[in-house]
């Protein structure tokens, strides 16, 4: 009978230790989940910022391209007009 009580007490102690370890693991997992959630928020913010920057760069590139096309077209028209002796408007 004393052996049974001792074994039950040892089993109970092991159960308490296991529960304590599980509790610590659960806290660790919760902390990691919070960290991962924070990382995803930072990732999303960075992705949004990159998308916005790419859109701005795209608009800037379009402006530059149109300006180059405008200047090229003006040079072509000016060259044709000069070839035929037509003066540009004032």
């Amino acid at each position: 009978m004393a052996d049974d009580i001792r074994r039950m007490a040892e089993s109970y102690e092991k159960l308490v230790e296991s529960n304590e370890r599980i509790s610590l693991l659960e806290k660790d997992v919760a902390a990691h989940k919070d960290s991962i959630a924070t990382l995803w928020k930072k990732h999303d913010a960075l992705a949004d910022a990159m998308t916005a920057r790419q859109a701005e760069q795209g608009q800037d590139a379009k402006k530059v391209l149109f300006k180059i096309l405008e200047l090229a077209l003006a040079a072509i028209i000016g060259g044709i007009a000069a070839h035929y002796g037509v003066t540009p408007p004032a």
Side-chain angles (χ1 to χ4, degrees):
M1 180 80 162
D3 278 349
D4 290 340
I5 292 173
R6 185 182 49 78
R7 279 191 299 240
M8 288 174 63
E10 289 174 358
S11 293
Y12 181 77
E13 287 176 14
K14 288 180 183 178
L15 180 63
V16 169
E17 288 175 9
S18 293
N19 284 341
E20 288 173 356
R21 280 188 250 143
I22 289 171
S23 177
L24 290 173
L25 285 172
E26 287 173 342
K27 289 178 184 177
D28 198 30
V29 167
H32 286 303
K33 283 183 180 180
D34 290 341
S35 297
I36 290 170
T38 301
L39 288 174
W40 274 115
K41 287 177 186 174
K42 289 181 179 181
H43 171 271
D44 292 342
L46 180 60
D48 291 343
M50 288 174 61
T51 302
R53 181 65 185 141
Q54 287 172 348
E56 290 173 8
Q57 287 175 344
Q59 292 299 324
D60 292 344
K62 284 181 186 177
K63 289 177 185 176
V64 169
L65 180 61
F66 285 129
K67 189 63 176 176
I68 291 171
L69 289 174
E70 180 183 349
L71 293 172
L73 186 57
I76 291 169
I77 292 172
I80 293 171
H83 178 71
Y84 290 106
V86 178
T87 58

